[in-house]
Amino acid sequence: MFLSLKQTIANKISSLFEGIRLSSCLIALFGSALLAFGLYNIHAQSVVTEGGVLGLTLLLDHWFQISPSVSGFLLNIACYVLGWKLLGKRFVIYSTVATVGFSAFYGIFEQFNPLFPAIANKPLLASVVGALFVGVSAGLCVRIGGAPTGDDALSMSISKISHIDIQWIYLFSDLIVLLLSLSYIPLNRILYSLLTVILSGQIIGLMQKIKLPGRKQTK
């Protein structure tokens, strides 16, 4: 009986990871490391805000004093649950690798001084460079079917349902948050943020169309 139970558990685990590629997990880890590097060294040092879930948590914190640690957790969980329902187990596994990797790498980078502290005085440069980091890193994770943040999970889910290219989903959701953020953030700062989300969203869309080595092209 014990051997039968052991075999059943082994079969369940084997079934869970069926179709999961080690190469995709490594790509998810690399993408999450790149995202953590960019957010810590560029975004965290600049005056440029964010769209999506992060921007919404800042908005809720400002007007309703709801801590981002609470609102961010709840919003991200909701986005991941939606992604799991629509995109399946591979999405959950790759997203878990990406999100755990992001947290771990960000924690490592925090142990060191920022590499580009002076970029805080150059918001235009921060907008462009930050968009490159976010676009390429999140694009890599999305390309293999995972999501490093709740924003990506939500955009992937909506794209799946609507068949609208993912870069336009990113842009629309970010625009809504940025417009709401005008209620407490100066217009010039919002414009820099707008540049960032437009560029990063388009880059993610391009990354989704790039054929990775050893993979079939997907729509």
Side-chain angles (χ1 to χ4, degrees):
M1 183 176 180
F2 176 75
L3 290 176
S4 176
L5 178 60
K6 185 177 180 180
Q7 184 62 43
T8 300
I9 295 175
N11 290 338
K12 289 287 186 180
I13 294 175
S14 176
S15 174
L16 177 64
F17 290 96
E18 183 179 359
I20 302 301
R21 295 169 176 259
L22 176 60
S23 59
S24 293
C25 291
L26 293 176
I27 290 172
L29 282 174
F30 175 75
S32 63
L34 197 63
L35 180 60
F37 180 89
L39 288 181
Y40 177 67
N41 287 288
I42 306 298
H43 282 275
Q45 311 308 318
S46 69
V47 295
V48 179
T49 188
E50 293 284 342
V53 169
L54 179 55
L56 189 56
T57 62
L58 297 175
L59 181 73
L60 293 172
D61 182 40
H62 179 83
W63 287 115
F64 303 103
Q65 291 74 53
I66 300 174
S67 170
S69 64
V70 175
S71 59
F73 176 78
L74 294 176
L75 289 169
N76 280 319
I77 288 296
C79 292
Y80 281 122
V81 169
L82 178 63
W84 169 58
K85 292 291 186 182
L86 293 173
L87 303 171
K89 69 174 184 180
R90 281 190 293 181
F91 165 81
V92 174
I93 292 174
Y94 290 144
S95 296
T96 299
V97 172
T99 52
V100 171
F102 172 79
S103 296
F105 284 116
Y106 199 95
I108 292 172
F109 293 139
E110 281 186 313
Q111 305 307 309
F112 302 92
N113 292 327
L115 295 179
F116 317 112
I119 204 166
N121 301 318
K122 302 175 181 178
L124 179 59
L125 179 62
S127 299
V128 175
V129 177
L132 288 173
F133 272 103
V134 172
V136 173
S137 58
L140 282 171
C141 294
V142 169
R143 186 66 185 84
I144 54 93
T149 69
D151 295 0
D152 306 302
L154 180 62
S155 296
M156 291 170 70
S157 299
I158 295 175
S159 181
K160 175 78 172 181
I161 297 172
S162 65
H163 304 292
I164 298 174
D165 285 347
I166 197 169
Q167 63 264 38
W168 303 117
I169 305 295
Y170 274 107
L171 179 60
F172 182 71
S173 61
D174 286 337
L175 280 176
I176 292 176
V177 175
L178 290 179
L179 284 173
L180 291 173
S181 298
L182 277 171
S183 62
Y184 75 103
I185 294 178
L187 178 60
N188 63 332
R189 185 176 173 185
I190 290 292
L191 290 177
Y192 288 124
S193 301
L194 179 61
L195 175 60
T196 296
V197 299
I198 289 176
L199 288 177
S200 62
Q202 293 302 309
I203 293 170
I204 291 172
L206 283 175
M207 293 292 294
Q208 195 184 34
K209 293 179 172 62
I210 294 175
K211 183 177 180 180
L212 298 176
R215 287 173 171 76
K216 294 181 180 179
Q217 184 73 20
T218 58
K219 293 182 181 180

